[in-house]
Amino acid sequence: MKTIGLIGGMSFESSAIYYRLVNEAVRESLGGLSSAQVIMHSVNFAEIVGYQTTGRWDLAEKALADCAAGLERAGADCILICTNTMHLIADHVAASISVPLIHIVDETSAAIKASGYRRPLLLATRYTMEHGFYTNHMRALGLDPMVPDAEDRQTVHDVIFKELCAGRVEAASRDAYLAIIEKAKAKGADCVILGCTEICLLLDPDQLCLPGFDSTRIHAQAAVTFALSGRREKMVA
């Protein structure tokens, strides 16, 4: 089994989900008491948010590149950035290591295309929805993503940072998200991406008016597929 390197803490709420999903998937695949070989570097999210809000992406690049390089030195065979937003600097992080960076947009796009959809609604932080790195990447992969209007983008963003990242799950916010998805469906969206790794705390992707793709679950499963690649037998303790 290969070792998975996780850059977490953005926020720790979703990093805990990554850890659980990765280990559940390994146990499901190998059986018995099997669990994943994982190394995590969990950052102080307040520092990363400070870089985001001040536009100091150069400092974020250095911080996460240092994390990735440290995980590789510690024995990680692949690296995951456990957040959608920080994939804005994924190319820089990938360039700082010699092991693969498993890219959340690549994996989510592949899952959508494999299911026969093309016009996903992206729900994410304002940075992810507005900076273009995510939607442009998806367009290059043959998809036609859409984002909510400006007011709804702010609503989605505020719920993430003020509630979900702080461990709060509010029914009113769930209703607001569902209304945004309904509007997108009326405008031609054929599926929805839970494009922030905390949104799975609020929404069940299987209980929406459109087919849902949880980027957290997709990303974690891709890591497990990589970690178990080349191993076909099922081991039962």
Side-chain angles (χ1 to χ4, degrees):
M1 186 191 308
K2 300 181 181 71
T3 298
I4 299 168
L6 302 176
I7 304 177
M10 301 171 285
S11 66
F12 75 77
E13 298 286 347
S14 63
S15 299
I17 297 170
Y18 266 93
Y19 185 76
R20 175 176 57 80
L21 289 174
V22 164
N23 280 288
E24 286 178 347
V26 168
R27 183 172 60 191
E28 174 65 23
S29 179
L30 300 184
L33 298 178
S34 299
S35 58
Q37 294 179 179
V38 176
I39 307 170
M40 178 183 285
H41 185 140
S42 186
V43 302
N44 178 358
F45 192 34
E47 293 181 359
I48 301 300
V49 171
Y51 300 151
Q52 293 174 347
T53 56
T54 58
R56 293 303 307 268
W57 297 101
D58 57 324
L59 296 179
E61 287 176 354
K62 183 180 186 311
L64 267 61
D66 286 348
C67 289
L71 288 169
E72 181 178 6
R73 288 194 300 272
D77 296 300
C78 69
I79 303 294
L80 278 72
I81 304 172
C82 299
T83 166
N84 284 272
T85 295
M86 298 311 291
H87 277 74
L88 187 153
I89 60 171
D91 289 347
H92 183 90
V93 175
S96 70
I97 54 178
S98 60
V99 297
L101 176 77
I102 299 179
H103 200 295
I104 201 167
V105 185
D106 289 338
E107 300 300 334
T108 303
S109 297
I112 291 170
K113 292 176 70 175
S115 297
Y117 301 106
R118 183 176 178 275
R119 182 72 166 144
L121 169 69
L122 173 62
L123 298 180
T125 67
R126 195 163 40 78
Y127 310 112
T128 302
M129 292 186 286
E130 295 179 0
H131 272 251
F133 72 95
Y134 206 103
T135 51
N136 290 342
H137 196 129
M138 298 192 95
R139 290 188 182 99
L141 295 171
L143 297 175
D144 185 22
M146 61 188 294
V147 298
D149 62 29
E151 182 178 356
D152 287 342
R153 291 197 301 273
Q154 191 63 53
T155 296
V156 173
H157 180 89
D158 287 345
V159 167
I160 292 167
F161 277 96
K162 296 179 180 179
E163 298 175 16
L164 300 180
C165 288
R168 291 171 47 207
V169 179
E170 305 288 349
S173 297
R174 180 179 294 109
D175 291 342
Y177 271 47
L178 294 176
I180 290 168
I181 295 169
E182 289 281 1
K183 283 196 283 186
K185 180 180 180 181
K187 294 179 180 179
D190 62 6
C191 61
V192 58
I193 301 167
L194 308 190
C196 175
T197 52
E198 287 83 15
I199 294 179
C200 59
L201 295 167
L202 186 69
L203 298 180
D204 181 342
D206 298 324
Q207 301 295 323
L208 305 174
C209 66
L210 289 171
F213 292 85
D214 178 5
S215 61
T216 307
R217 183 172 293 278
I218 292 167
H219 203 200
Q221 182 58 59
V224 171
T225 299
F226 176 87
L228 300 181
S229 60
R231 184 170 192 165
R232 298 183 180 180
E233 75 277 14
K234 180 169 182 176
M235 298 175 59
V236 181

